[in-house]
Amino acid sequence: MRNKVIAGNWKMNHSPIDTRNFFGKFNDLVKENNHEIILCVPYIDVAAALESTENTNIKIGTQNLNHEVAGALTGDVSVKMLEDIGIKYSVIGHSERRQYHNETDDFVNLKIKAAFDHDIVPILCVGETLYERELGIAKEKIIIQIRKDLEGLPANFARKIIIAYEPIWAIGTGKTASKEDANEACKLIREEIRKMYGNDVAEEVRVLYGGSVKPTNAQELFGMSDIDGGLVGGASLEPDSFAQIANFDKFSMNIGEMI
Ligand code: 13P
């Protein structure tokens, strides 16, 4: 049985003070939770987040990293710096970075390998645009991303990766992929991993869905055969809503109250 991953991506939101306030409330709400809970916070919040979650079941990640260890790269934060302060996860290849920072699959591939070399588990994001979906080439896009982003990655690392299927048209739009469509895409990713690495690795890799996940749809999405949890943007910013998502399997009756 794969352990579920409930990951939050704060994007460019929350200050260190907000971070302390968030965990001041959130930690208690998920203390009985057995899923892998990860909050990917802005760099400036990392110290506050690590301090606020010491001795809890909550893990802290970043939203990006530079694959170089050090150098003349103004404004970047290196994979080694993150390793040194105890970061164990990082989002890599988010569509917003691919779109606004011109991150190519080649770069994403370098970052994934560097992350593993420094004991950081990548949360790799893949997914199609609305245009690609309407053209009927969503599957091809996802397969190409998986192939290029994981190229040359050894199986002992591949088995630990977390992959998030995030259809770009569902991010921050309030539009969620249907649970069947989301499951089909996550299954497609797993099948591609099976072709590349074989059965054992494919059955171990966690594949998440991301795109307008909310307390009201988390349970139906995370209950699907190939969806191993979620990567949550907007709804991870408030302790109550993110805790309801993380505790999706504990509140089956009160959907109405959760809205
Ligand atoms: P939303 O949950 O706000 O749609 O964002 C999804 C996302 O991009 C997470 O990485």
Side-chain angles (χ1 to χ4, degrees), residues 114-221:
F116 276 123
D117 285 342
H118 291 269
D119 209 18
I120 293 172
V121 174
I123 303 174
L124 165 66
C125 300
V126 297
E128 80 283 2
T129 62
L130 184 58
Y131 182 64
E132 290 160 339
R133 188 178 181 82
E134 284 171 350
L135 277 183
I137 56 166
K139 287 184 181 165
E140 288 75 5
K141 166 78 178 291
I142 295 165
I143 290 173
I144 288 170
Q145 284 184 319
I146 294 290
R147 291 246 155 212
K148 287 188 171 173
D149 296 349
L150 302 190
E151 196 182 327
L153 185 73
N156 60 321
F157 286 156
R159 67 174 66 244
K160 294 188 196 143
I161 200 168
I162 299 172
I163 301 176
Y165 166 60
E166 297 208 318
I168 296 167
W169 50 270
I171 296 177
T173 58
K175 288 185 197 146
T176 316
S178 71
K179 60 183 197 294
E180 292 81 13
D181 282 357
N183 195 51
E184 199 189 332
C186 291
K187 202 175 188 140
L188 176 79
I189 291 169
R190 196 177 309 286
E191 289 317 309
E192 205 49 39
I193 300 286
R194 202 181 309 278
K195 286 183 202 155
M196 293 168 76
Y197 294 100
N199 262 332
D200 286 2
V201 173
E203 290 308 319
E204 239 178 271
V205 163
R206 269 89 55 86
V207 185
L208 316 182
Y209 167 76
S212 300
V213 174
K214 301 182 274 275
T216 44
N217 59 22
Q219 191 176 36
E220 61 170 33
L221 286 163

Side-chain angles (χ1 to χ4, degrees), residues 64 95-104 107 111:
N64 185 31
S95 58
E96 287 151 16
R97 293 209 63 84
R98 293 180 191 256
Q99 187 180 350
Y100 306 128
H101 298 268
N102 299 321
E103 276 192 16
T104 61
F107 255 108
K111 289 179 186 210

Side-chain angles (χ1 to χ4, degrees), residues 229-241:
L231 182 57
V232 186
S236 72
L237 293 173
E238 295 302 325
D240 283 326
S241 62

